Amino acid sequence: METDSLFLTLLNATAYVGGVPILWREIIGNAFGLASAIGGMRRVVWAWPVGIVGNILLFTVFMGGLFHTPQDLDLYGQAGRQVMFLIVSVYGWWRWSSAKRRGMRESHTTDPSRSIVSEPAESTAAVQPRWASTSQRIGMLIFAVVCTCVCAVVFQALGSWGPWADAWIFTGSILATYGMARGWTEFWLVWIAVDIVGVPLLLTAGYYPSAALYVVYGAFVVWGFVVWLRVQRRAPEAGTGGA
């Protein structure tokens, strides 16, 4: 019983900013998300498990009706994308780890796994940024349109708050996370499109820490795009296509 009480206390821990209640798990979950994004920019493997922790926390936040958050709103797209992030993050974690091990074997290095704040060595970077091929871009565009329309209908039937915006955020997040796992530089641009829709939706719904993160993240993804583009240009032979 005491364990259950402690768990509920931690789950419902709340801060008040300007008289507005904000769950600590929303703040902490978004902090983990930002840390994961920084790790992604630096191309370090630990970006993925750090992001998974944030995904689990934020799932409980966006299923507000189920977990009785101050907003008491269910954003099925926002919650569903946390599940998607977790699944794709396992794939990304495996793919980057495998690529890094291959790179280390080929370069005969024995560097230990780097932390999020460490500078990635060129010989042990987890992924080499490159542009997606034309066929891959067409596939992403078709997926974006079809998945957004289908998800909007599903989310509306489920009673999601803001189903069309929620549907694009969910779809764009799938594309961006998968693109990051594949090493496609375009994934940063997809995140910008997600942020443009996400900020107004979250502000209107009262998820202020998440909206604030989207604003910060919007500036950050521009920086990340520039960083990956510079790395890509230093290795032009790896800059196009790819399986």
Side-chain angles (χ1 to χ4, degrees):
M1 184 66 68
E2 291 182 2
T3 302
D4 292 342
S5 178
L6 177 61
F7 174 75
L8 290 174
T9 299
L10 293 174
L11 189 68
N12 296 319
T14 305
Y16 288 85
V17 179
V20 177
I22 298 173
L23 291 171
W24 271 106
R25 55 192 152 105
E26 183 179 359
I27 298 171
I28 296 171
N30 280 306
F32 271 89
L34 183 58
S36 177
I38 293 171
M41 183 191 68
R42 289 182 172 271
R43 297 175 291 141
V44 292
V45 175
W46 283 106
W48 297 104
V50 166
I52 287 173
V53 175
N55 300 150
I56 294 171
L57 289 172
L58 290 175
F59 175 81
T60 69
V61 170
F62 292 121
M63 288 300 293
L66 177 63
F67 289 92
H68 306 294
T69 65
Q71 296 85 3
D72 199 32
L73 296 172
D74 287 326
L75 291 176
Y76 288 100
Q78 291 281 358
R81 79 178 189 142
Q82 305 307 320
V83 177
M84 176 276 300
F85 281 152
L86 195 154
I87 295 170
V88 179
S89 291
V90 171
Y91 166 73
W93 192 356
W94 167 79
R95 186 178 178 89
W96 282 28
S97 296
S98 300
K100 183 179 177 181
R101 285 193 296 269
R102 277 199 309 273
M104 291 176 67
R105 284 196 301 269
E106 291 169 1
S107 61
H108 306 290
T109 62
T110 57
D111 279 0
S113 295
R114 290 166 284 114
S115 70
I116 279 181
V117 296
S118 65
E119 187 66 26
E122 291 300 324
S123 61
T124 58
V127 68
Q128 173 59 48
R130 66 182 187 275
W131 294 118
S133 66
T134 300
S135 61
Q136 288 165 341
R137 289 177 179 176
I138 293 173
M140 286 192 289
L141 180 60
I142 293 173
F143 178 84
V145 173
V146 173
C147 188
T148 299
C149 292
V150 171
C151 287
V153 173
V154 172
F155 293 162
Q156 189 167 32
L158 290 173
S160 183
W161 196 84
W164 280 95
D166 217 12
W168 162 243
I169 292 170
F170 178 74
T171 300
S173 297
I174 294 175
L175 288 172
T177 308
Y178 181 72
M180 175 178 164
R182 297 298 300 271
W184 296 339
T185 305
E186 288 94 339
F187 93 88
W188 295 104
L189 302 179
V190 177
W191 274 132
I192 292 174
V194 170
D195 293 341
I196 289 173
V197 175
V199 172
L201 175 70
L202 293 171
L203 282 176
T204 306
Y207 289 98
Y208 301 114
S210 297
L213 177 68
Y214 271 48
V215 173
V216 173
Y217 197 64
F220 172 79
V221 294
V222 174
W223 178 33
F225 174 70
V226 171
V227 169
W228 272 43
L229 197 58
R230 286 174 179 170
V231 172
Q232 179 177 319
R233 286 174 176 172
R234 286 201 299 268
E237 69 278 3
T240 58

